[in-house]
Amino acid sequence: MISRWGGDEFVVVLTNVTLDEVKKAGYALIKNIEADTMMTTEAELNLSASIGLANYPMHGDTIDEVLQNADAAMYQAKTTGKGRVYLYQHGLLESMKERVSMVADLRRSINHGGLDFYVQGKFSVDGILRGGELLCRWRSSISGTVAPAVFIPLAETHQLDKNIGILALEAACDYISMMETQGMLIPLSVNVSANQILDKNFAQLAKKICAANNISPHLIELELTESIFIRDHKNALRSLNALRTAGFRLALDDFGSGFSSLSYLRSFNFEVVKLDRSLITDIHTDNKALSLFQGIVAMLHSLQLDVVAEGVEHPEYLPLLKEANVSQVQGFYYEQPMPYDQFIQKHQKR
């Protein structure tokens, strides 16, 4: 029995089958859906599907309960990637409810100034402060302190990342303005998501925010990851060129992780490359790690790029970073992220 449940959701009811047989049927259904290609005048379109499975009476004593649990399993399938079949697990519905509650709380925090932006300094290898990076922190009224590794992906999934990026840019302008009045001025970097960079209005909006605060875009460095190129190479180039024309510095973050491609460095006009901490780890004890690190830095210098090393936590790294002529370093060896007032108080003394 197949029924349209509403919108783009359908219910399929199978009887007298095992769970393994239902899984196979689910994947066969997805395969057939993905094989169906539709041609328009401009593009070739393909559909995909995510399927959640629930069994009666194993996963519910009533029809409503079984459907609710199948729905929760379907959303779990969607979060793990397209074209998946997911069998309901005990506690999943409660977990989904917690997730929905956390999203609602995050949205409230964004709309009512409930996020904090800490600052972590960027230093020369000799320990001289050269800049800083804004890092978002969130203390939920429901869940307490939530790690960025948890709430940032949540924000991206629910299209809240653009709002966080705007708040971060506004905070950077505020901090720079306050530093200037206190006789201290350094550039600050802000992390922006692929969703935000690919927004055709972002460059103009970012420029407008800086103008409203009398801050030169040259004092703002926008950090982005390679995911922007995987998403939309053509529009990524357009957006980055617009931001560069507006005067912002552009940094490629987390280089050396994931699927980093050297073609990005050739195609896009970055000024800074931030090396992922995985390229720094153990360079003082592992010759292969050191050779890889030195080769990458030399290559980046040949492209006339500034190199920032992240994740510097041990003093043993410093001579090797200095020998490689790394532009700036960032990590717990120098300082941890801290509220702006603590940051300014610490560095004014110097």
Side-chain angles (χ1 to χ4, degrees), residues 19-20 22-23 51-55 58-59 69-70 73-74 76-77 85-90 92:
L19 287 176
D20 284 341
V22 174
K23 280 187 177 180
I51 297 178
L53 305 179
N55 171 270
M58 183 187 302
H59 300 136
N69 290 339
M74 183 267 292
Q76 183 65 23
V85 177
Y86 192 90
L87 176 65
Y88 177 80
Q89 304 291 330
H90 179 70
L92 177 61

Side-chain angles (χ1 to χ4, degrees), residues 8-26:
D8 61 352
E9 294 185 341
F10 294 80
V11 173
V12 179
V13 180
L14 299 175
T15 59
N16 300 318
V17 291
T18 66
L19 287 176
D20 284 341
E21 289 171 336
V22 174
K23 280 187 177 180
K24 289 179 181 178

Side-chain angles (χ1 to χ4, degrees), residues 70-306:
D71 193 50
M74 183 267 292
Y75 276 102
Q76 183 65 23
K78 290 174 71 172
T79 61
T80 57
K82 296 180 180 179
R84 302 292 180 90
V85 177
Y86 192 90
L87 176 65
Y88 177 80
Q89 304 291 330
H90 179 70
L92 177 61
L93 183 60
E94 289 71 20
S95 174
M96 295 294 291
K97 288 179 178 178
E98 289 178 9
R99 182 183 178 93
V100 170
S101 177
M102 183 176 286
V103 171
D105 193 29
L106 177 58
R107 184 175 283 108
R108 282 193 298 270
S109 296
I110 292 171
N111 293 335
H112 297 93
L115 298 180
D116 295 315
F117 291 95
Y118 282 28
V119 185
Q120 184 181 34
K122 296 180 182 179
F123 300 83
S124 68
V125 179
D126 296 325
I128 300 172
L129 183 69
R130 299 298 189 193
E133 178 182 0
L134 263 68
L135 298 166
C136 188
R137 296 293 183 264
W138 179 40
R139 182 169 179 79
S140 164
S141 60
I142 298 173
S143 309
T145 300
V146 183
V150 174
F151 76 82
I152 293 298
L154 197 65
E156 292 175 348
T157 300
H158 294 273
Q159 298 294 309
L160 298 175
D161 50 326
K162 291 184 182 180
N163 306 71
I164 294 177
I166 293 300
L167 291 176
L169 187 55
E170 292 174 342
C173 289
D174 285 342
Y175 290 173
I176 291 172
S177 181
M178 288 188 289
M179 281 191 290
E180 193 170 17
T181 62
Q182 299 177 62
M184 174 181 164
L185 189 62
I186 57 171
L188 293 178
S189 61
V190 174
N191 292 280
V192 287
S193 68
N195 287 333
Q196 190 151 42
I197 291 288
L198 293 175
D199 183 343
K200 62 181 181 180
N201 298 316
F202 177 62
Q204 194 62 33
L205 178 58
K207 187 177 178 180
K208 186 176 179 180
I209 291 172
C210 289
N213 290 274
N214 294 316
I215 298 299
S216 169
H218 291 90
L219 289 170
I220 302 289
E221 183 176 283
L222 301 177
E223 297 186 6
L224 53 137
T225 63
E226 63 193 14
S227 60
I228 182 178
F229 311 113
I230 298 171
R231 287 270 303 275
D232 191 334
H233 193 278
K234 181 180 179 180
N235 282 323
L237 179 59
R238 173 190 53 77
S239 297
L240 294 184
N241 285 337
L243 288 166
R244 188 179 178 89
T245 300
F248 293 97
R249 283 171 58 85
L250 303 176
L252 180 61
D253 198 9
D254 298 334
F255 186 79
S257 65
F259 299 96
S260 295
S261 171
L262 299 181
S263 64
Y264 301 153
L265 302 178
R266 184 179 66 178
S267 303
F268 297 91
N269 294 320
F270 291 103
E271 294 162 286
V272 181
V273 172
K274 297 187 72 175
L275 300 181
D276 186 73
R277 63 177 62 244
S278 62
L279 291 176
I280 311 298
T281 303
D282 296 333
I283 59 173
H284 61 303
T285 58
D286 187 327
N287 288 333
K288 285 187 177 180
L290 178 60
S291 296
L292 180 62
F293 163 75
Q294 290 173 333
I296 289 175
V297 173
M299 180 269 295
L300 294 174
H301 281 157
S302 70
L303 296 174
Q304 298 181 324
L305 294 165
D306 290 337

